[in-house]
Amino acid sequence: MSAIAMSATAPRSGWRKLIGFNMLTGILLGIAGWYVGHFIGDHIHGANLAYFSAQAGENDIAIMLGYFLGVVGFLIGLGFANYPVKRLLGHPPSLAANESEAHGLMRYFSLSTDHKVVAKQYMAGIGVFFFVAGLNAMLIRTELLQPDVHVFGANQYLTLVGMHGSMMMGTMTSGLLGPFATFLVPLMIGSRRMAFSRLSAFTFWLLMAGEVILLTTIFFGGFQTGWTGYQPLGAQGTAGYDAYICFFALVGLSMTLFGFNLIVTITTMRARGMTWSRLPIFVWGTFATAWLMMLAAPMLIAALLMAASDRTVQTAFYIPGQGGSAYLFQNLFWVFGHPEVYILALPGMAIVLELMPVFARKPLWGYRLAVAGLLGISFLSFFVWQHHLFVSGINADLRPFYMLSTELISLPTGFIFLCAMGTLWRGRIRLTVPMLFCLGWIFNFLWGGISGVFNSDVPSDVTTHGSFFVMAHFHYTIMGGLIFAFFAGIYYWVPKMYGVNLNERLGKIHFWTLFIAFNSTFAPLFALGFMGMPRRVVTYNPSFTSLNQWVTISAYVIGLSMLVFLFNVVWSLLIKREPATINPWHAKSIEWTLPTPVPLHDFDRLPVFDADPYPYGVEAAPARAPAIAPARGSA
Amino acid sequence: MSASGEAVNVEGTRHWRNVVLLWLLASVIMVPVVVFVLGPGLPPGNGSVEASGQTSDNIVLLALATPVALGVLVYLGYALWAFRERTPEVVLDGPPIRGNSSVQFWWLIVTTTLVLFLAGFGTIRLLADGAGGGQGPNPLATPSVPAVGSRLVVQVVAQQWQFNYRFPAYGGVETNQIELPENTLVQFNVTSLDVIHSFWAYELGVKADANPGVNNIAYVTTKGPLLFHVRCAELCGLWHGYMFNQGQVVPKTQFAAWIAQQRVKFAPATKTLPPYSKTYFPHAQRRAG
């Protein structure tokens, strides 16, 4: 390790740090790429330009090419082309040289192959866009204070709805795995890195490029399709819909590669003794999710490529009058879309199950059942997608099958609940902030699951489909589930990731305000849906006004609660910086035996495992680190 | 070791009994409350035969969901009360229980039974009359015509951003309001001229997506006079929020008078309409670019 540090070039000082392959260069090349692409597009499409000159900026080919070359430029600027180019020229650089390239703060703004840096990049990037998307939600609720249009126009409102949905979905697909799996999976399985370190960085920067592209939709008239982007409505859309296509295609690519990377890492990089039956449950959850990411996301990319070609090169995949079908997009979208919601939910379940033993001071109850639950959900989620199309008229004869398959998912989900509840049984429950969020997860996800039974039952779904009831249902599973688990993970692992403690009192204020405001926001939406309020409407029946106002005010309290969290982060991580001990939670999994901060190459010697990570309640926990066996490949 | 193990088991049995008793108590109180207090208020009400069917389905689902939810909540509350660490300063571990095969077995049996029952129940209810949902061009479930009633086909033509209604049995007249005769089996042929919409007649318990180029059929059997709201339930562009309407179920004589009046009123328009068809392909809207 010291040899690597010695071989590194001396760090540059001052503004010179900004020269080289980093985010700044990436942004500059990205902008350049956009203009080059736009220029080419205008010329490709020159023949028709006169016709379109009335609609400025409406040349979809130019815009798509601009986005594409912009992303390419951004990635080149970050240094993703260095390795292939040098290799082509006959002298490939070593990974070690790459790692030591950037030092200090600068490595967070560059291509880094250190999984811990990538995890922190994910955390920051996802945090930023999570808050942007959350702000969109606040604006949506502001518009719904009154039944008539009073703050935003219909187009602005629908763009906000679409951006909130797309950004939350796109960001949070990597929201738990990005920061936590990238950081923890190598540590938990006793590896020094992800299987494909550069790919890890690639998926992160691709996601960020996508997010920025989604934000540019506001310059091109926004898009009115919501996050589902249904055709042929999308085909009518202004160029803002191009941003939606490029964003989701990039997210899809990022997800596919990330899932692939995780599967290979977990399958091949486990240390000696880390058998499948000793795998921490979080790693199992990651594994189950990674399969979904790898297999489902390509469907999305395919669907969007066809949408893009409909808009640019005059194909008609989705245009009914010309041999296309509006069903095709719905079908392809939900083949991706339903696994997608489990890509969001599964890591949350895994985090809850991983944390429960630590704070109940007991081994995970029913380990095999929990694994079966995670894998079962993952498998079944590929067979349920047409429950989104129960009243669409497509394959109406198959509705009993999709009703059954959807309801079957409650079996493995029940396993997760049983294991979480069993772990609490006669434990010594410590109500720390992460544990509060885990318990909040159980409470919220329960309502999410139960309302899901109403949606899965076709006769009941006839009323609830497309109404606020559905909206409340998936916010209970995603916000009440994923986001609560996200915060549980943050409060739990930040001491290890950043080496500082988050303030506990502020954490508790954050939890209680969020928990109460969340339920106060989304429970009334079930009632509104039952009363007949459709989703995504800018105006509504005046009889729904008082409930909507209640919901909006509660939503503002969610916003305030997030500000408490933000303040906690700034205060604890930037100002106070109270150093964390190695193992503040007295946890028994391996990441807590490592020094804080975790050293560059994680383990001095690769560990050897002889038990699962939950030896609570036994006299002497098996010694695991420092490991006794020599590391593979080291002297 | 065996003595302490015995004590642990006795204590475990006590906790177990407490949880079960509390759950039974809560369920005995709450199930009648939700069925008899919440139940009648569940949507979509009793505006049509299909709506009543959905309402009773919702009551069954809620009655089954209540003990399940209470089970988790009672257990959670009890666990937090009984198993909470009273001396958090000292880190002590709980007993190393790694599972319980009989609990796992019975959990699997009970949840599987519930799920299979729900799926079977839903399927039977769905196949009986289609439950008011859109069934595509070849409906699997067709409700029978009511004894004292008749049958009426209404085509719902959705477009950005309104619903029009076409009555093939009445000279193919197209109206922008809807009235339906009471005690009638109404067949809605739902289609769209542009993008995907969804025809949602809330009080009738009808929802069917309007897809361009597709005839999506939904049945409803009207009862007595009723005012119902029609809303679009699928995001269809800019003025989706304004795509709503009201309709009425009226006595048969009143319907006959209304439709005759509409035929006269819209006679000039009817001549210019394309002939009645299951679907329409207007001039395709191509995005230029």
Side-chain angles (χ1 to χ4, degrees):
Chain A
M1 215 156 71
S2 57
I4 293 162
M6 296 280 281
S7 71
T9 48
R12 282 170 292 198
S13 59
W15 59 272
R16 283 167 204 228
K17 277 185 197 165
L18 297 178
I19 298 176
F21 291 100
N22 57 37
M23 197 168 94
L24 184 67
T25 318
I27 291 171
L28 293 176
L29 283 187
I31 294 171
W34 157 263
Y35 281 107
V36 173
H38 210 282
F39 178 80
I40 298 172
D42 279 342
H43 281 264
I44 290 178
H45 215 262
N48 287 342
L49 266 187
Y51 178 76
F52 295 113
S53 56
Q55 313 164 24
E58 286 287 284
N59 182 346
D60 291 298
I61 293 184
I63 287 167
M64 291 274 191
L65 272 179
Y67 282 138
F68 179 71
L69 291 187
V71 173
V72 170
F74 177 64
L75 294 174
I76 290 176
L78 275 164
F80 279 99
N82 295 2
Y83 180 79
V85 167
K86 284 184 184 164
R87 192 162 181 128
L88 274 177
L89 298 177
H91 26 83
S94 72
L95 203 62
N98 197 337
E99 267 171 3
S100 54
E101 185 105 337
H103 297 268
L105 213 54
M106 215 42 213
R107 75 198 138 134
Y108 296 107
F109 297 96
S110 326
L111 193 181
S112 174
T113 47
D114 180 355
H115 71 97
K116 299 181 291 300
V117 174
V118 176
K120 289 185 201 176
Q121 288 174 328
Y122 259 119
M123 185 77 104
I126 277 164
V128 166
F129 290 104
F130 173 67
F131 272 87
V132 172
L135 203 61
N136 286 340
M138 297 292 125
L139 297 178
I140 293 170
R141 285 315 314 178
T142 306
E143 173 60 51
L144 293 177
L145 268 171
Q146 295 287 333
D148 55 340
V149 176
H150 69 291
V151 183
F152 304 107
N155 187 37
Q156 277 176 317
Y157 174 79
L158 287 180
T159 301
L160 284 172
V161 169
M163 275 177 70
H164 167 71
S166 312
M167 196 174 279
M168 281 292 185
M169 284 291 183
T171 310
M172 296 319 281
T173 43
S174 305
L176 295 191
L177 296 191
F180 298 131
T182 310
F183 192 90
L184 293 162
V185 162
L187 301 185
M188 282 178 165
I189 63 175
S191 159
R192 288 191 170 119
R193 57 184 180 90
M194 296 283 283
F196 304 103
S197 300
R198 261 185 214 89
L199 200 60
S200 212
F202 184 68
T203 54
F204 166 72
W205 289 108
L206 214 52
L207 183 66
M208 290 301 111
E211 305 277 6
V212 173
I213 286 176
L214 182 65
L215 284 177
T216 63
T217 187
I218 50 179
F219 302 120
F220 299 110
F223 59 103
Q224 301 163 1
T225 59
W227 84 280
T228 47
Y230 276 2
Q231 299 283 354
L233 178 61
Q236 293 180 349
T238 59
Y241 188 76
D242 294 335
Y244 165 86
I245 291 180
C246 291
F247 160 73
F248 247 133
L250 289 175
V251 167
L253 187 58
S254 167
M255 276 162 72
T256 313
L257 296 174
F258 190 23
F260 172 72
N261 200 352
L262 286 168
I263 291 172
V264 177
T265 306
I266 296 170
T267 312
T268 64
M269 309 278 286
R270 281 169 294 129
R272 272 172 60 192
M274 178 45 79
T275 58
W276 288 103
S277 58
R278 288 175 186 160
L279 219 51
I281 202 70
F282 176 69
V283 181
W284 267 116
T286 305
F287 189 67
T289 315
W291 279 100
L292 291 183
M293 291 168 96
M294 192 178 77
L295 296 177
M299 279 296 177
L300 174 72
I301 302 174
L304 292 172
L305 277 180
M306 286 192 268
S309 77
D310 272 11
R311 290 170 65 84
T312 51
V313 294
Q314 310 287 322
T315 54
F317 290 109
Y318 303 128
I319 298 167
Q322 302 179 6
S325 164
Y327 279 147
L328 180 62
F329 186 89
Q330 284 189 313
N331 220 2
L332 287 177
F333 185 84
W334 287 114
V335 170
F336 149 78
H338 204 84
E340 153 79 5
V341 300
Y342 282 100
I343 292 171
L344 297 168
L346 276 173
M349 297 175 175
I351 285 184
V352 169
L353 290 179
E354 182 70 34
L355 266 53
M356 280 278 170
V358 180
F359 297 110
R361 310 303 305 168
K362 277 182 64 205
L364 179 64
W365 194 94
Y367 175 88
R368 277 157 195 258
L369 198 68
V371 173
L374 292 167
L375 294 179
I377 292 173
S378 178
F379 177 75
L380 281 176
S381 71
F382 281 108
F383 303 96
V384 299
W385 79 92
Q386 281 197 358
H387 66 212
H388 296 269
L389 307 170
F390 271 160
V391 296
S392 75
I394 185 175
N395 294 345
D397 306 355
L398 281 176
R399 285 179 300 171
F401 167 76
Y402 284 105
M403 184 163 23
L404 175 67
S405 63
T406 306
E407 281 162 4
L408 280 180
I409 281 206
S410 54
L411 295 182
T413 312
F415 295 172
I416 309 285
F417 268 90
L418 182 65
C419 294
M421 292 180 350
T423 308
L424 293 177
W425 181 249
R426 293 176 51 216
R428 306 186 74 99
I429 301 169
R430 309 173 72 81
L431 293 180
T432 57
V433 179
M435 186 60 166
L436 286 175
F437 275 100
C438 288
L439 295 168
W441 179 94
I442 297 187
F443 182 86
N444 297 335
F445 208 87
L446 174 69
W447 299 117
I450 284 186
S451 54
V453 173
F454 286 80
N455 290 328
S456 69
D457 182 87
V458 181
S460 182
D461 185 61
V462 169
T463 289
T464 54
H465 179 90
S467 77
F468 261 38
F469 186 92
V470 174
M471 217 266 273
H473 158 69
F474 69 73
H475 277 85
Y476 259 91
T477 55
I478 295 176
M479 182 164 180
L482 163 95
I483 301 300
F484 272 67
F486 181 52
F487 284 120
I490 288 177
Y491 282 103
Y492 181 69
W493 278 305
V494 151
K496 184 53 69 183
M497 290 174 76
Y498 293 85
V500 292
N501 288 326
L502 284 167
N503 184 297
E504 189 175 355
R505 178 180 292 266
L506 284 173
K508 283 193 171 160
I509 295 174
H510 175 213
F511 169 75
W512 283 110
T513 48
L514 181 64
F515 182 70
I516 293 166
F518 165 77
N519 280 290
S520 163
T521 303
F522 290 100
L525 295 186
F526 285 123
L528 274 172
F530 266 167
M531 286 155 68
M533 182 163 167
R535 289 169 68 186
R536 297 155 160 178
V537 286
V538 68
T539 180
Y540 51 84
N541 192 318
S543 63
F544 303 148
T545 309
S546 47
L547 264 179
N548 268 299
Q549 287 176 341
W550 173 273
V551 169
T552 298
I553 290 163
S554 304
Y556 290 156
V557 180
I558 296 183
L560 288 178
S561 150
M562 292 298 176
L563 288 183
V564 173
F565 170 72
L566 212 58
F567 176 75
N568 194 357
V569 168
V570 172
W571 172 253
S572 306
L573 259 61
L574 300 180
I575 299 171
K576 190 125 180 288
R577 296 196 62 80
E578 175 194 303
T581 53
I582 283 188
N583 188 0
W585 312 112
H586 308 283
K588 300 200 176 179
S589 50
I590 187 167
E591 74 267 24
W592 298 104
T593 62
L594 293 168
T596 305
V598 181
L600 180 62
H601 284 273
D602 300 351
F603 302 99
D604 274 348
R605 290 180 162 192
L606 284 180
V608 173
F609 294 85
D610 55 6
D612 76 1
Y614 311 110
Y616 296 95
V618 286
E619 291 301 317
R624 194 180 296 115
I628 27 170
R632 271 181 282 182
S634 72
Chain B
M1 188 67 202
S2 71
S4 70
E6 196 79 356
V8 160
N9 280 340
V10 170
E11 203 197 327
T13 316
R14 183 173 61 83
H15 286 310
W16 184 239
R17 199 193 54 212
N18 290 350
V19 172
V20 171
L21 284 179
L22 280 171
W23 170 70
L24 278 177
L25 184 69
S27 299
V28 166
I29 295 170
M30 286 308 290
V31 172
V33 169
V34 295
V35 170
F36 295 108
V37 180
L38 272 179
L42 286 178
N46 288 308
S48 71
V49 173
E50 283 72 15
S52 302
Q54 288 174 37
T55 306
S56 63
D57 275 27
N58 281 336
I59 294 175
V60 171
L61 292 185
L62 201 61
L64 280 175
T66 306
V68 175
L70 284 174
V72 175
L73 292 180
V74 165
Y75 178 86
L76 204 59
Y78 187 86
L80 289 184
W81 171 77
F83 308 131
R84 185 173 170 181
E85 179 61 270
R86 311 279 166 187
T87 53
E89 317 78 60
V90 194
V91 181
L92 287 174
D93 287 358
I97 310 168
R98 284 178 172 268
N100 182 318
S101 50
S102 70
V103 170
Q104 286 167 229
F105 174 78
W106 283 109
W107 178 277
L108 190 59
I109 297 292
V110 170
T111 53
T112 308
T113 314
L114 264 178
V115 160
L116 291 180
F117 169 78
L118 281 176
F121 176 73
T123 304
I124 290 167
R125 299 300 300 240
L126 173 66
L127 295 184
D129 61 358
Q135 304 191 59
N138 306 304
L140 197 61
T142 44
S144 49
V145 179
V148 289
S150 52
R151 187 189 177 97
L152 174 72
V153 176
V154 180
Q155 184 173 49
V156 179
V157 185
Q159 68 185 84
Q160 287 168 322
W161 287 271
Q162 66 172 352
F163 292 107
N164 291 310
Y165 309 95
R166 212 167 173 190
F167 295 82
Y170 297 91
V173 61
E174 186 171 299
T175 66
N176 50 17
Q177 296 291 320
I178 183 169
E179 290 198 8
L180 299 170
E182 60 183 19
N183 293 323
T184 303
L185 174 65
V186 181
Q187 176 183 339
F188 287 113
N189 290 356
V190 184
T191 189
S192 164
L193 298 183
D194 36 48
V195 302
I196 303 173
H197 305 267
S198 191
F199 173 70
W200 182 13
Y202 173 75
E203 286 85 354
L204 289 180
V206 171
K207 191 177 282 154
D209 279 8
N211 294 279
V214 176
N215 177 31
N216 191 12
I217 296 174
Y219 292 102
V220 69
T221 315
T222 56
K223 292 181 175 175
L226 174 80
L227 181 75
F228 59 88
H229 292 85
V230 173
R231 298 191 180 97
C232 178
E234 185 57 67
L235 180 53
C236 55
L238 203 54
W239 302 112
H240 164 61
Y242 286 89
M243 198 166 160
F244 55 81
N245 204 336
Q246 278 187 0
Q248 286 188 72
V249 178
V250 295
K252 282 182 180 156
T253 47
Q254 195 178 331
F255 173 77
W258 176 81
I259 194 74
Q261 184 197 351
Q262 299 293 313
R263 287 182 76 168
V264 176
K265 183 178 163 193
F266 287 108
T270 310
K271 269 182 238 153
T272 64
L273 284 176
Y276 177 82
S277 146
K278 295 273 174 58
T279 59
Y280 303 93
F281 290 107
H283 176 66
Q285 296 194 352
R286 288 313 308 270
R287 170 155 179 83

